[in-house]
Amino acid sequence: MEISRKTDYALRMLAALVQNPDGVVSVRTAAKDNDVPYSFARSIQHDLALAGIVESTRGAHGGMRLAVDPRTTSLLKLVEAVQGPILISSCDYAGDDGGPCPRMAECHFNPIWCNAERMLRSYFDSVTLYQVVMEGKMPQMTGSFRLVGNKRKAKAATE
């Protein structure tokens, strides 16, 4: 999974809104202050408004403001609003008909990709926009991984 440039820019612009929660920030100002090309910032603003993340106002004093509470809005919600679902592999739609990969049941790696995807989603969901921007927090994994058997493989081996 790669965080797109659009997502990076959107998060920078949203950070500017969190730092100015009472006022409206113009798209031009958010773009300039965060090194985002203005035309791209306009497109991002439009997408964030469609996703219900920001509210936009027009006019000389127009701009955008947060439409969500940054204290309860996770990075997962924001990343997925901009670039869609977080996916590590295409196992769920790699089949000829757009369905699951036909090799999924026998695949040694599918459980690893699925668990990695769950871990990444959980990581992004464990921190809010406010915590990152205003409190300087980030999630940290503690402990280590332990190896477990693959129930699907163990069952197939006993049959």
Side-chain angles (χ1 to χ4, degrees), residues 5-17:
R5 179 171 290 168
K6 181 178 182 179
T7 300
D8 178 46
Y9 288 165
L11 292 173
R12 289 188 214 176
M13 292 169 58
L14 290 168
L17 298 177

Side-chain angles (χ1 to χ4, degrees), residues 67-142:
V68 295
D69 181 352
R71 293 177 187 271
T72 60
T73 303
S74 72
L75 284 187
L76 177 65
K77 179 177 180 169
L78 300 173
V79 169
E80 289 189 333
V82 177
Q83 72 179 49
I86 291 176
L87 300 171
I88 298 291
S89 74
S90 59
C91 298
D92 288 340
Y93 56 87
D96 291 337
D97 61 353
C101 173
R103 297 182 39 96
M104 193 183 298
E106 299 86 32
C107 181
H108 298 284
F109 302 100
N110 173 267
I112 293 172
W113 309 149
C114 291
N115 282 328
E117 190 174 295
R118 276 193 289 279
M119 287 183 339
L120 189 55
R121 290 178 57 78
S122 178
Y123 182 81
F124 287 150
D125 201 35
S126 71
V127 65
T128 67
L129 182 60
Y130 186 87
Q131 289 170 319
V132 172
V133 175
M134 300 304 287
E135 297 175 354
K137 292 185 178 177
M138 66 175 193
Q140 184 176 24
M141 233 172 89
T142 57

